[in-house]
Amino acid sequence: MSSSTQVVFVKMSLQLCLSSIQHIFATVLAWIGVRVPQVRLTSTEKVNRVKLLQNNISQPATTPSSVNYHFTRQCNYKCGFCFHTAKTSFVLPIDEAKRGLQLLKQSGLEKINFSGGEPFLQDRGDFLGKLVQYCKQDLHLPSVSIVSNGSLIREKWFQKYGQYLDILAISCDSFDEDTNQTIGRAQGRKSHLDNLFKVREWCRDYKVAFKINSVINTFNVDEDMRENISELNPVRWKVFQCLLINGENAGENSLREAERFVISDQQFQDFLDRHSTISCLVPESNQKMRDSYLILDEYMRFLDCREGRKDPSKSILDVGVEEAIQFSGFDEKMFLKRGGKYVWSKADMRLEW
């Protein structure tokens, strides 16, 4: 039990003791004929107090060892199933973002993953580069990674910041350009695949581990990607089942309507079976995704996705990491079960560049 958790536990214990003393005192006064006004807790308040005390007794504080920081929601693509859409244009000042990252490091952060939106959109990638450099050079994090669509990455970015980056993941859902256009994984008629292969070469040249993320949906579920994935040879190929998030890509006030992209569990399994010979494949079903990620939004609030929507905590900049993370919905056991902990520092990968 951490020191701050112990403080919470002591406070709750004292509150319960005081409640008992107040009850005894009131009983004595009533016996001698003095009436004392009673402060009654509702049944919900009683349950919440008991739950909080039980949690602090039995649950160790969650360590944010791996965090996904979506510092922007803006994007130059319009993927139909996107579950973190451009609902705001807010981006924290870089000094505040660095302060939050330092708080996370003090709480046990080992791996930070920058995502969006499209993270290279802000200041043409310079904002992102400065955060990457800060995390590796100042915070000495074992792993710094990025998820990007790859369309805005330039070689000069690698020349300036590549040494500080461990892993670059490029999102690619199909090796057919028409399918990418249908999905929205494109900007105009520019080739998404040309960018993918170009970035792959730059990762090799500048010694950055290369990863691919694919969202399996109605339009690519029957595709055979084995040859292309083998050619690109990523260190990991993350394969996600298309996920609905209320308020983002489904339901009222959403910016996307992803229902037409949704596939069944069996369809997802069929895709996995077809690609079972790919050793770097890491599958993630809807069940695994909902509560196995620590997600920070643009305000540095943890997002709880367990109810099929994104319920934000207070910002770690306002209340600290340990308080905010209690409302993250994070399941560390599921995180480990889905393979969330792996060799994530390029220094330990022993790659042949």
Side-chain angles (χ1 to χ4, degrees):
M1 190 182 293
S2 67
S3 58
S4 57
T5 304
Q6 288 175 331
V7 170
V8 174
F9 171 63
V10 170
K11 285 182 177 179
M12 288 298 301
S13 299
L14 287 173
Q15 287 175 358
L16 290 176
C17 289
L18 287 171
S19 296
S20 299
I21 292 171
Q22 288 171 347
H23 178 71
I24 293 170
F25 186 60
T27 301
V28 171
L29 290 176
W31 181 67
I32 62 176
V34 179
R35 296 190 65 182
V36 179
Q38 296 293 313
V39 178
R40 297 185 180 277
L41 296 177
T42 66
S43 58
T44 301
E45 288 173 329
K46 291 177 182 177
V47 169
N48 286 340
R49 283 196 178 189
V50 172
K51 281 185 176 179
L52 186 57
L53 182 59
Q54 288 174 337
N55 286 338
N56 282 289
I57 293 173
S58 61
Q59 299 296 326
T62 299
T63 300
S65 59
S66 177
V67 172
N68 293 271
Y69 176 26
H70 296 251
F71 65 81
T72 179
R73 284 178 171 267
Q74 299 298 297
C75 189
N76 59 324
Y77 278 15
K78 294 182 179 179
C79 301
F81 47 67
C82 179
F83 60 85
H84 200 72
T85 54
K87 305 197 82 170
T88 75
S89 59
F90 180 80
V91 176
L92 275 172
I94 195 164
D95 288 342
E96 283 293 273
K98 287 181 177 179
R99 181 167 74 89
L101 292 166
Q102 186 175 42
L103 291 173
L104 289 167
K105 171 63 187 299
Q106 292 168 353
S107 296
L109 181 68
E110 297 178 29
K111 179 182 185 293
I112 187 71
N113 180 55
F114 295 105
S115 189
E118 172 47 50
F120 281 89
L121 198 58
Q122 184 72 16
D123 297 335
R124 297 183 177 181
D126 204 45
F127 183 92
L128 172 64
K130 289 175 181 178
L131 291 183
V132 167
Q133 182 175 356
Y134 174 74
C135 287
K136 183 60 72 171
Q137 188 170 266
D138 294 77
L139 299 184
H140 305 291
L141 294 183
S143 183
V144 182
S145 65
I146 298 170
V147 175
S148 167
N149 62 38
S151 65
L152 301 175
I153 303 176
R154 302 292 180 262
E155 186 174 9
K156 63 182 180 182
W157 191 94
F158 281 94
Q159 294 169 348
K160 189 173 182 179
Y161 299 113
Q163 62 182 306
Y164 308 112
L165 183 64
D166 291 277
I167 303 169
L168 176 59
I170 301 298
S171 299
C172 181
D173 308 310
S174 176
F175 290 92
D176 180 90
E177 291 287 17
D178 290 336
T179 302
N180 285 322
Q181 288 285 339
T182 300
I183 289 171
R185 184 77 77 185
Q187 184 177 22
R189 299 305 300 180
K190 295 179 182 178
S191 172
H192 181 71
L193 297 178
D194 286 350
N195 286 328
L196 174 70
F197 280 88
K198 185 165 53 180
V199 171
R200 175 58 182 114
E201 288 304 311
W202 287 335
C203 283
R204 185 178 289 111
D205 294 342
Y206 293 94
K207 296 180 171 53
V208 175
F210 179 72
K211 177 182 170 185
I212 296 175
N213 286 355
S214 300
V215 177
I216 309 308
N217 61 86
T218 306
F219 299 99
N220 65 1
V221 68
D222 296 320
E223 189 171 338
D224 188 341
M225 305 184 188
R226 286 174 291 184
E227 182 178 346
N228 299 102
I229 295 296
S230 297
E231 180 183 355
L232 287 162
N233 192 29
V235 294
R236 282 165 75 85
W237 179 30
K238 259 308 188 46
V239 174
F240 302 94
Q241 182 180 2
C242 182
L243 177 67
L244 294 181
I245 296 290
N246 193 48
E248 297 282 355
N249 61 12
E252 191 176 354
N253 299 322
S254 65
L255 297 184
R256 297 287 190 277
E257 295 179 358
E259 287 86 352
R260 67 192 183 100
F261 292 90
V262 173
I263 59 173
S264 68
D265 292 346
Q266 186 57 56
Q267 285 177 298
F268 184 62
Q269 187 58 53
D270 290 343
F271 182 91
L272 298 179
D273 292 342
R274 189 182 316 125
H275 296 86
S276 60
T277 58
I278 304 296
S279 60
C280 63
L281 188 154
V282 181
E284 291 199 12
S285 64
N286 288 171
Q287 182 185 6
K288 288 183 179 179
M289 290 173 64
R290 287 189 192 279
D291 56 3
S292 64
Y293 282 89
L294 279 172
I295 301 173
L296 278 181
D297 71 359
E298 63 273 22
Y299 302 101
M300 286 198 151
R301 303 176 302 183
F302 286 111
L303 299 178
D304 183 350
C305 301
R306 289 175 297 176
E307 300 300 322
R309 59 180 184 269
K310 291 182 175 177
D311 296 322
S313 70
K314 293 181 179 179
S315 174
I316 65 171
L317 298 171
D318 297 327
V319 301
V321 175
E322 187 157 354
E323 179 175 335
I325 207 170
Q326 294 181 49
F327 302 92
S328 65
F330 179 64
D331 185 337
E332 190 168 9
K333 290 181 180 178
M334 185 60 78
F335 166 74
L336 296 172
K337 184 177 180 180
R338 71 166 173 81
K341 182 76 173 178
Y342 59 96
V343 179
W344 52 33
S345 172
K346 65 182 179 182
D348 299 327
M349 292 181 187
R350 300 178 182 178
L351 297 174
E352 295 181 4
W353 305 104

